[in-house]
Amino acid sequence: MLGGLFGRRRAAAAAGGALELLAQAYAHHGAGRLDEAQAGYRAVLERDPRNFDAEHLLGVVALQRARPEEALSHFERAVGIDPQSAHAHNSLGETYRRLGRSEQALASLQRALALDARMAEAHFNLGGLLRGLGRNGEAIECFRRALEVNAEFAQAHASLAVALSEAGDLDAALASAQRALALNPDSAAYHLNVGNLLRAKGFLDEAAAAYRAALARDARLVEAHNNLGNILRHQGRIDEALASYEEALRQKPDFAEALLNAAQLLRENRRLNEAIAAYGVLLQLRPDMAEAHLELGNALKGLGDVAGALASYRLALDRDPEYAEARWAVAMSQMPMVADSEAELVASRSAFAAELATLERWCRERGPGKAMRAVGSQQPFYLAYQEWDHL
């Protein structure tokens, strides 16, 4: 982020030895010694209160330390000192973005580009903002403009890959992700991105290799552990998949996606009590996660606890009334495995008929696009054991 951040040089910077102090502080900054850099920039401002570079770079230090409010005050003063600095407007825009002030971020980044249309970083930051605002097509164009200026801008290639993937162009996305990786082969995140795209295209062995390469560079990258587990699960390598999920959870115990994947893998392999325990942990972390309630219901149903399953399905619907699979499961789970009495059997058949009617109305109102996701996900299995006319 330091490259090109010095603004216009001015004679005032040399006043009272400020230029030498500034150079020393910048050297500390480039070496990652942020405390020394910050002290140096402040010393410059004591001698030269309107020194643009020191003010601006103090903002950069604050932003690097994840202190956007502090950074904002420095960048605003820098813009006041030099309103024509594209760098200052770019930094101001990125800070507004981090603070969630999207309109001001947009205005500042556009101002930066009006001042310097070939500022790759401003195009890149504008692309990130537009993607965050859901304007993915415009974001793609911004990333491409950044790369027209600097074809070796690895972050722009990586962000373009993500945006292209979201647009459904997996081939172009993979090419961009691989270009980013070629420019920075030691980046664990770039190996992860390549792996995700290879997996999306069905190249599972190659994706697994990319995830392992990511983990060789950063063993704490929980997404790589989780996604490698998904591939191993698909390949039927159950113990290895569970080990990957467990490692993700060791690194991040509240990683809900890995907990869900591990629980589903246990359920699929009839380790139902372990699956139920895993869903319980997950729901303590994410009580509003409709999918976890549904899957817990499936595990309970597998153990023959139809009443418990039905309660879980209803909780899933409480969390998400549009959850087609949960609505289908409620209808299909009205029959007990074994009825205790003729009266219970009759009541369950009436409840099943009522839920079928409710399901039919819901599907008709929502249309086939939503309903088709659930059709066939469960069957009224126990109905076959009742010697009645089921038509």
Side-chain angles (χ1 to χ4, degrees), residues 371-391:
M372 67 184 294
R373 296 202 305 266
V375 173
S377 58
Q378 293 195 32
Q379 303 289 346
F381 181 75
Y382 303 130
L383 193 65
Y385 292 88
Q386 299 177 13
E387 296 181 359
W388 294 29
D389 182 354
H390 305 312
L391 184 58

Side-chain angles (χ1 to χ4, degrees), residues 8-226:
R8 295 183 308 173
R9 305 304 309 152
R10 47 177 57 77
L19 181 58
E20 183 178 351
L21 285 172
L22 185 65
Q24 292 171 352
Y26 189 70
H28 286 305
H29 202 164
R33 299 186 291 270
L34 298 186
D35 287 340
E36 292 87 343
Q38 184 179 57
Y41 296 142
R42 285 174 175 167
V44 172
L45 289 173
E46 287 176 5
R47 300 189 182 203
D48 181 5
R50 287 185 60 80
N51 187 289
F52 170 84
D53 293 323
E55 194 72 73
H56 184 223
L57 289 165
L58 273 173
V60 174
V61 171
L63 208 57
Q64 287 176 301
R65 287 178 157 167
R67 299 174 184 169
E69 291 285 1
E70 180 184 332
L72 182 63
S73 64
H74 289 297
F75 292 142
E76 286 177 336
R77 283 195 288 271
V79 167
I81 294 168
D82 185 359
Q84 300 304 307
S85 168
H87 286 295
H89 285 286
N90 173 61
S91 299
L92 189 58
E94 174 60 10
T95 305
Y96 281 136
R97 185 191 68 80
R98 296 193 192 188
L99 290 169
R101 295 161 64 172
S102 299
E103 290 186 10
Q104 290 165 292
L106 189 61
S108 291
L109 292 170
Q110 288 173 334
R111 178 60 179 155
L113 289 168
L115 290 164
D116 183 357
R118 291 189 56 76
M119 188 177 184
E121 189 175 357
H123 285 296
F124 172 75
N125 288 338
L126 181 58
L129 174 63
L130 291 169
R131 183 170 161 262
L133 293 174
R135 296 160 62 176
N136 199 46
E138 294 172 80
I140 288 171
E141 291 307 310
C142 286
F143 296 138
R144 284 176 169 155
R145 289 191 190 103
L147 290 167
E148 287 173 3
V149 177
N150 179 6
E152 297 189 352
F153 193 167
Q155 285 179 287
H157 283 291
S159 293
L160 177 59
V162 174
L164 288 168
S165 175
E166 291 175 350
D169 191 346
L170 295 183
D171 290 335
L174 180 58
S176 292
Q178 289 172 327
R179 178 59 179 150
L181 183 58
L183 290 165
N184 187 357
D186 290 328
S187 169
Y190 292 174
H191 282 283
L192 174 65
N193 290 342
V194 168
N196 290 341
L197 287 162
L198 287 168
R199 182 163 65 95
K201 287 177 63 62
F203 300 123
L204 300 187
D205 290 336
E206 293 85 350
Y211 292 141
R212 290 191 174 100
L215 292 168
R217 288 156 177 83
D218 183 358
R220 299 168 300 173
L221 196 60
V222 293
E223 293 86 354
H225 285 295
N226 179 67

Side-chain angles (χ1 to χ4, degrees), residues 327 331 353-366:
R327 191 162 294 279
E355 288 295 341
L356 278 179
T358 299
L359 179 62
E360 183 179 6
R361 286 194 301 272
W362 187 87
C363 291
R364 187 167 55 244
E365 290 168 0
R366 299 310 189 276

Side-chain angles (χ1 to χ4, degrees), residues 293-294 296-302 305-314 333:
H293 285 288
L294 174 75
L296 174 58
N298 291 338
L300 290 167
K301 193 171 183 179
D305 183 359
V306 178
L310 190 56
S312 289
Y313 297 147
R314 292 196 185 282
S333 302

